């Protein structure tokens, strides 16, 4: 919020606790209204960097629909140095089993300028995957009525990163935010953006982080939808057929309830279809699903929001309640670690969690993610700011 972050209640934690070599630096800027988190992710023995806040007493967030993360972009899109967007986890812990974290994945949208304010909405239902010291919980569920910790993680994205967060707000209804507009000037430029995104997203998918893969794919499809090609004097770079392809893929993915694998592949096939529409060869499964570029009736808005609201979420939203809630410091607490009967299974040795997304029936996919059939071409207001 405008009053600033509680600077003494946050700290950084990196994979050095597990023998890794990643770094993380936490600073507060602009009269403590901006939390800046930067460092370098190394995949040599680790792969994560995080900032963590333990609350002084538990807070009840169960009445809210979700959370809005407001950020300031830290780099300007450069056609000479194209990279995928950065994926993040927002994670909460409850007092029932504090050691289990529940996270939701999202991507920081690409932007034409440094310092552009962007927002992403994460529904409570997206915090659907818990983990503890690298083990995923297969029968646990977060209790938003007793939240005792909040974290932000950068995971398995090799190289330097910088994140600036201005607000994290619990909201009572579904939110949508327009995707920032970047300038695209050629199909080669779009191809490079898609290739880099598949490289980054596929690497996350192959390590078991399908949610971050989905977040990156979705973000770039929306970036292409929102792009400005007004500097091109001949014809539009992002054609109506490409817009239809993107919208079909995004809409199909949002209807796939139950399988994050299928959702990730739907978005991957959509990216492949974009490349094919621009005339580039994509050697993939001939039986794979593709959007139909001739179906021009498919239209959608370019958004940063990770999820479309379900009918249930919309019907449960109350029109006569306050849409935000600002918590004071004394509403949070740190509790003792309780025992839990939840069972876990292992993923790559990351000590934290993943997140997000709904999905379901699609095609049958190869489980070998080091091949071309993998995602990689080489092989988804309570102002907590002051807490």
């Amino acid at each position: 919020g405008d009053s600033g972050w509680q600077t003494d209640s946050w700290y950084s934690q990196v994979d050095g606790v597990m023998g890794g070599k990643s770094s993380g630096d936490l600073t507060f800027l602009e009269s403590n209204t901006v939390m800046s988190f930067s460092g370098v992710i190394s995949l040599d023995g680790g792969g994560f960097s995080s900032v963590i806040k333990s609350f002084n007493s538990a807070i009840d967030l169960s009445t809210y629909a979700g959370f809005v993360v407001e950020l300031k972009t830290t780099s300007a899109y450069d056609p000479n140095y194209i990279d995928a967007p950065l994926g993040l986890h927002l994670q909460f812990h409850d007092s029932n089993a504090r050691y289990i974290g529940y996270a939701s994945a999202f991507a920081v949208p690409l932007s034409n300028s440094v310092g552009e304010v962007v927002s992403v909405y994460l529904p409570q239902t997206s915090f659907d995957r818990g983990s503890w010291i690298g083990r995923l919980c297969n029968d646990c569920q977060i209790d938003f009525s007793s939240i005792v910790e909040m974290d932000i993680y950068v995971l398995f994205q090799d190289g330097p990163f910088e994140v600036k967060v201005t607000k994290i707000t619990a909201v009572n209804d579904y939110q949508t935010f327009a995707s920032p507009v970047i300038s695209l000037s050629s199909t080669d430029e779009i191809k490079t953006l898609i290739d880099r995104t598949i490289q980054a997203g596929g690497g996350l998918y192959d390590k078991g982080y399908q949610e971050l893969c989905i977040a990156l794919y979705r973000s770039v499809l929306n970036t292409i939808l929102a792009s400005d090609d007004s500097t091109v004097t001949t014809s539009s770079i992002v054609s109506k057929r490409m817009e239809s392809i993107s919208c079909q893929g995004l809409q199909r993915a949002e209807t796939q309830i139950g399988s994050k694998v299928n959702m990730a592949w739907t978005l991957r096939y959509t990216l492949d279809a974009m490349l094919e529409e621009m005339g580039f060869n994509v050697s993939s499964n001939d039986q794979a699903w593709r959007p139909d570029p001739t179906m021009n009736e498919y239209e959608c808005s370019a958004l940063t929001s990770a999820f479309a609201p379900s009918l249930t979420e919309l019907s449960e939203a109350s029109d006569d309640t306050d849409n935000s809630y600002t918590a004071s410091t004394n509403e949070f607490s740190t509790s003792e670690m309780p025992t839990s009967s939840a069972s876990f299974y292992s993923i790559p040795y990351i000590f934290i969690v993943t997140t997000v997304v709904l999905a379901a029936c699609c095609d049958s996919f190869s489980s070998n993610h080091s091949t071309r059939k993998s995602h990689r071409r080489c092989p988804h207001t309570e102002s907590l700011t002051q807490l």
Side-chain angles (χ1 to χ4, degrees):
D2 297 332
S3 60
W5 297 88
Q6 293 181 351
T7 60
D8 58 351
S9 64
W10 287 85
Y11 65 94
S12 62
Q13 180 172 277
V14 297
D15 55 17
V17 299
M18 302 176 65
K21 299 179 181 178
S22 299
S23 62
D25 181 53
L26 175 64
T27 57
F28 294 89
L29 310 172
E30 301 179 30
S31 301
N32 297 331
T33 61
V34 176
M35 180 168 65
S36 177
F37 173 39
S38 60
V40 178
I41 298 297
S42 171
L43 304 185
D44 183 7
F48 75 85
S49 186
S50 65
V51 289
I52 298 172
K53 154 73 182 177
S54 294
F55 303 146
N56 293 329
S57 58
I59 181 171
D60 183 359
L61 298 175
S62 61
T63 61
Y64 297 96
F67 305 90
V68 173
V69 183
E70 184 183 278
L71 311 100
K72 285 189 174 182
T73 57
T74 58
S75 62
Y77 174 78
D78 183 351
N80 298 310
Y81 184 75
I82 299 174
D83 205 354
L86 178 68
L88 299 173
H89 276 169
L90 176 64
Q91 178 172 276
F92 290 100
H93 301 249
D94 63 38
S95 62
N96 297 321
R98 187 190 180 96
Y99 54 93
I100 303 174
Y102 300 86
S104 181
F106 66 99
V108 181
L110 299 177
S111 169
N112 263 347
S113 60
V114 175
E116 181 176 358
V117 176
V118 295
S119 296
V120 178
Y121 171 73
L122 302 172
Q124 282 198 3
T125 52
S126 69
F127 294 80
D128 66 346
R129 185 177 175 183
S131 72
W132 172 59
I133 57 171
R135 295 179 180 271
L136 295 180
C137 177
N138 60 9
D139 58 357
C140 55
Q141 184 175 355
I142 189 169
D143 178 6
F144 272 108
S145 69
S146 184
I147 297 301
V148 294
E149 184 178 310
M150 176 171 59
D151 320 318
I152 300 173
Y153 272 80
V154 181
L155 293 154
F156 285 117
Q157 292 159 94
D158 196 21
F161 69 89
E162 183 180 15
V163 180
K164 290 184 176 179
V165 186
T166 55
K167 296 178 183 178
I168 301 174
T169 304
V171 295
N172 198 52
D173 53 4
Y174 179 79
Q175 308 281 307
T176 59
F177 302 95
S179 184
V181 177
I182 67 170
S183 299
L184 297 173
S185 59
S186 70
T187 55
D188 285 336
E189 189 177 332
I190 297 175
K191 178 183 185 298
T192 300
L193 176 59
I194 291 175
D195 284 345
R196 298 285 166 79
T197 301
I198 291 175
Q199 178 74 16
L204 290 163
Y205 183 101
D206 292 352
K207 287 182 170 62
Y209 291 90
Q210 292 96 340
E211 301 85 2
L212 281 167
C213 173
I214 290 166
L216 265 59
Y217 288 176
R218 181 193 287 110
S219 182
V220 163
L221 284 168
N222 278 288
T223 289
I224 294 172
L225 270 176
S227 63
D228 175 18
D229 55 12
S230 59
T231 58
V232 181
T233 57
T234 53
S235 60
S236 177
I237 298 300
V238 181
S239 66
K240 289 294 184 183
R241 287 167 62 96
M242 291 174 65
E243 291 177 358
S244 176
I245 288 170
S246 183
C247 290
Q248 286 178 60
L250 289 166
Q251 292 172 13
R252 184 179 198 252
E254 293 299 341
T255 65
Q256 293 176 309
I257 305 220
S259 171
K260 298 172 186 179
V261 169
N262 289 348
M263 189 173 197
W265 278 107
T266 286
L267 296 175
R268 167 59 193 274
Y269 290 150
T270 304
L271 291 170
D272 283 348
M274 297 278 273
L275 293 173
E276 292 166 342
E277 177 64 23
M278 292 185 294
F280 298 104
N281 292 324
V282 176
S283 56
S284 62
N285 184 0
D286 290 339
Q287 303 303 313
W289 175 82
R290 289 290 191 273
D292 182 354
T294 67
M295 299 180 66
N296 292 327
E297 68 269 20
Y298 277 87
E299 296 181 354
C300 59
S301 299
L303 304 173
T304 66
S305 302
F307 302 87
S310 68
L311 294 177
T312 301
E313 286 173 322
L314 287 175
S315 65
E316 290 178 350
S318 173
D319 294 330
D320 57 0
T321 55
D322 188 7
N323 287 339
S324 65
Y325 175 74
T326 302
S328 61
T329 308
N330 59 15
E331 292 180 62
F332 300 84
S333 79
T334 302
S335 62
E336 296 298 322
M337 181 187 297
T339 58
S340 173
S341 60
S343 58
F344 296 84
Y345 59 97
S346 297
I347 56 171
Y349 51 109
I350 227 28
F351 131 97
I352 155 188
V353 22
T354 67
T355 85
V356 85
V357 178
L358 313 170
C361 57
C362 187
D363 314 280
S364 59
F365 306 118
S366 166
S367 59
N368 181 355
H369 291 280
S370 61
T371 68
R372 180 57 184 81
K373 289 184 180 179
S374 89
H375 280 253
R376 286 183 289 180
R377 208 164 299 285
C378 318
H380 232 271
T381 53
E382 164 122 5
S383 184
L384 306 180
T385 301
Q386 300 90 344
L387 307 181

